[in-house]
Amino acid sequence: MPKEYTTVSKISGPLMLVEGVEGAKYGEVVEVKLVSGETRQGQVLEAHESAALVQMFTSTQDLSLKGMRVKFLGRVLEANLSPAILGRTFDGLGRPRDGGPQIVPEKRLDINGSPINPYARAYPSEFIQTGISAIDGMNTLVRGQKLPIFSGAGLPHASLAAQIARQARLLKEEEKFAVVFGAMGITFEEANFFIEDFKRTGAIERTVMFVNLANDPVIERIATPRFALTAAEYLAFDLDMHVLVILTDMTNYAEALREISAARKEVPGRRGYPGYLYTDLATLYERAGRIKGRKGSITLIPILTMPEDDRTHPIPDLTGYITEGQIFLSRDLHRRGIYPPIDVLQSLSRLMRGGIGEGRTRKDHGDLSNQLYAAYSRGLEAKELAVVLGEAALTEEDVLFLKFSQRFEEEFIKQGEYENRSIFETLEIGWRLLRMLPRASLKRIRPEFLEEFLGKEQ
């Protein structure tokens, strides 16, 4: 039976020091009973032989050292799981925040989970359609992949995240698909935007939401993505569903990690972040993937805002090492009113080749993507040349590529926030744009594909 202690010796901010404790463990859940009878929860942040440092999940401003009874429950945070979690909204600790009933669990799982064993991983090779041309056509998302979105302050990553959550689907309709949405450190307005958007469009029916607000405790922010991934693991590997997990904003998560590290008086690493930031992020990201012999899968899209648009900052830098590509949002495209402002030349999906082609999207997808990259890149080079030397210095072919790059941004990249394009619509837009270029310049497409698709009208 768990022991109760009345030996709280110090309270500092969200931290509480309990002395004379036997056998406390890191991450253990703590129950604090106040004189009034109210019960609050916390988590062991640091354990010594005879003392434990506890971080509370709620404010400690009204707490008194006298009369508190602290009980160490001997377990870590666990998620209550059942099929009923679909369509529900929870807070960062897995408690209902939509006014619905508590979940009656069919299963309880430790939220810390485990990364997937590399030997047990199956290679990601199936296409997920997001309905966004710049992703589907140029930086394809593959089932089981980890593909982060690198954004900046003021860029529309929230709208993009909501659009992906609404529109993402498998081409094989008979397969079960779900979205797990984890939000960390967002404002009430942002949280309300996501919840209302999902309700209005019906996406909430296949979505599980975990929402941690900016004024919620920091320790809750650390738990939020773990609750989200634990729910995803249950849906994927117990219910055989294909799950897309969207986590926003990983920058807020890393800031919370830095704050807790400072509270524990750990030696800081680069830019004040703890030296184990890479390891901590990996424990989250590596829980996504496919497992041999299992039907379900977890695909992960973490979203992070780069401080001062600095891609060498520790958070995007380390995220890039762990994940399989990145989607960059461009401030220049955003200023020019192009949504989504995805910089396709800076973006990369390392697993794209395994998820496209005949039997997955269409046989011309790979060649078309290569040619669009090459033509757009040449168009931007012509644009830079025109700025330096004037448009009169451009050849006729350069002018064509310049016009191509402008139309590519306006017709291929740009689309409505509620415009859901199929992969076949995306490919046809690409072919339509290529028809404005000389056939001899389309050197990255096989002749048989040129014959079949270039002259083909929509």
Side-chain angles (χ1 to χ4, degrees):
M1 185 175 177
K3 290 183 180 179
E4 287 189 347
Y5 297 87
T6 58
T7 51
V8 178
S9 62
K10 188 177 181 180
I11 298 175
S12 177
L15 302 180
M16 184 169 67
L17 183 63
V18 188
E19 295 184 341
V21 179
E22 297 176 359
K25 297 179 178 61
Y26 173 74
E28 186 175 350
V29 178
V30 174
E31 190 175 85
V32 179
K33 188 175 287 187
L34 309 184
V35 178
S36 63
E38 181 187 352
T39 301
R40 299 185 185 181
Q41 280 194 328
Q43 189 174 27
V44 175
L45 201 60
E46 196 168 328
H48 298 281
E49 288 183 3
S50 61
L53 185 66
V54 176
Q55 173 137 1
M56 298 300 294
F57 292 140
T58 54
S59 171
T60 59
Q61 289 182 352
D62 58 340
L63 297 186
S64 168
L65 293 177
K66 295 180 180 180
M68 278 196 300
R69 305 178 70 85
V70 182
K71 184 189 293 185
F72 292 79
L73 301 182
R75 59 176 174 82
V76 295
L77 283 172
E78 294 177 325
N80 294 333
L81 301 167
S82 83
I85 62 174
L86 284 168
R88 297 294 304 276
T89 302
F90 304 93
D91 67 8
L93 292 174
R95 299 170 299 205
R97 60 172 295 138
D98 55 4
Q102 293 284 346
I103 297 296
V104 178
E106 289 187 1
K107 196 169 189 178
R108 292 174 65 89
L109 291 176
D110 176 358
I111 66 164
N112 295 299
S114 298
I116 297 175
N117 187 328
Y119 180 76
R121 284 184 179 273
Y123 192 82
S125 59
E126 289 94 14
F127 170 71
I128 292 180
Q129 180 174 289
T130 65
I132 298 168
S133 293
I135 296 177
D136 293 348
M138 310 292 284
N139 300 284
T140 306
L141 179 65
V142 181
R143 193 186 306 170
Q145 184 178 8
K146 305 177 288 288
L147 187 64
I149 295 176
F150 290 0
S151 182
L155 295 180
H157 49 269
S159 299
L160 182 59
Q163 186 171 5
I164 293 173
R166 279 195 312 271
Q167 298 178 177
R169 58 179 286 265
L170 305 172
L171 292 187
K172 296 179 181 177
E173 292 288 354
E174 68 274 10
E175 294 184 336
K176 296 182 290 184
F177 189 75
V179 175
V180 175
F181 193 91
M184 295 155 283
I186 63 173
T187 63
F188 176 81
E189 288 76 13
E190 286 177 297
N192 195 54
F193 162 74
F194 286 123
I195 293 168
E196 292 303 317
D197 186 85
F198 292 167
K199 284 180 178 178
R200 186 176 66 254
T201 58
I204 192 70
E205 297 302 321
R206 60 166 189 173
T207 303
V208 187
M209 295 187 69
F210 293 87
V211 179
N212 165 264
L213 299 179
N215 61 344
D216 288 333
V218 170
I219 192 74
E220 181 180 312
R221 202 159 301 149
I222 299 297
T224 304
R226 290 175 168 82
F227 270 99
L229 286 163
T230 303
E233 287 167 346
Y234 170 75
L235 294 172
F237 305 129
D238 285 71
L239 302 185
D240 295 334
M241 301 184 79
H242 298 290
V243 185
L244 174 64
V245 180
I246 300 175
L247 299 177
T248 180
D249 178 343
M250 292 306 297
T251 300
N252 294 337
Y253 171 83
E255 294 290 348
L257 202 65
R258 179 165 66 174
E259 188 174 330
I260 289 176
S261 175
R264 295 171 66 180
K265 294 182 168 55
E266 294 173 338
V267 177
R270 187 157 55 122
R271 299 208 190 184
Y273 292 94
Y276 52 81
L277 178 61
Y278 177 90
T279 306
D280 192 275
L281 290 174
T283 62
L284 298 177
Y285 296 154
E286 294 298 346
R287 291 171 71 175
R290 297 173 62 222
I291 299 177
K292 294 173 184 174
R294 299 286 189 95
K295 291 182 180 178
S297 64
I298 300 175
T299 306
L300 178 62
I301 300 182
I303 299 173
L304 57 93
T305 50
M306 299 179 291
E308 299 177 356
D309 292 355
D310 179 12
R311 62 187 64 185
T312 67
H313 188 277
I315 305 170
D317 187 34
L318 297 178
T319 294
Y321 281 117
I322 304 167
T323 54
E324 294 122 4
Q326 63 279 324
I327 302 292
F328 273 102
L329 299 192
S330 164
R331 199 168 291 281
D332 177 59
L333 290 177
H334 179 59
R335 286 195 192 101
R336 289 191 275 131
I338 292 174
Y339 173 89
I342 295 175
D343 188 335
V344 296
L345 296 184
Q346 297 293 325
S347 301
L348 171 68
S349 173
R350 294 192 182 98
L351 302 184
M352 175 176 173
R353 295 296 158 203
I356 64 174
E358 195 162 10
R360 294 187 174 91
T361 54
R362 206 169 71 182
K363 60 183 178 181
D364 59 313
H365 190 164
D367 286 16
L368 176 64
S369 172
N370 289 339
Q371 187 60 66
L372 289 173
Y373 267 119
Y376 181 50
S377 177
R378 185 170 171 185
L380 293 185
E381 288 174 2
K383 182 179 179 180
E384 291 177 2
L385 193 63
V387 170
V388 176
L389 302 177
E391 202 164 319
L394 302 181
T395 64
E396 287 186 14
E397 197 170 78
D398 285 338
V399 172
L400 274 178
F401 277 99
L402 175 60
K403 290 178 179 176
F404 170 87
S405 69
Q406 293 167 345
R407 283 189 59 187
F408 180 80
E409 291 173 352
E410 288 293 332
E411 297 176 31
F412 190 93
I413 297 177
K414 186 177 183 179
Q415 64 183 86
E417 196 173 325
Y418 290 88
E419 182 182 355
N420 187 0
R421 295 176 183 168
S422 73
I423 182 59
F424 307 108
E425 289 176 297
T426 291
L427 296 176
E428 288 306 326
I429 293 171
W431 280 111
R432 186 179 72 217
L433 292 171
L434 289 181
R435 291 186 190 113
M436 65 183 291
L437 300 175
R439 190 185 182 104
S441 66
L442 307 180
K443 298 174 182 177
R444 295 176 182 264
I445 302 178
R446 279 169 270 192
E448 58 267 31
F449 292 164
L450 288 175
E451 290 295 328
E452 184 174 352
F453 295 102
L454 190 63
K456 181 180 171 184
E457 293 301 325
Q458 286 191 34

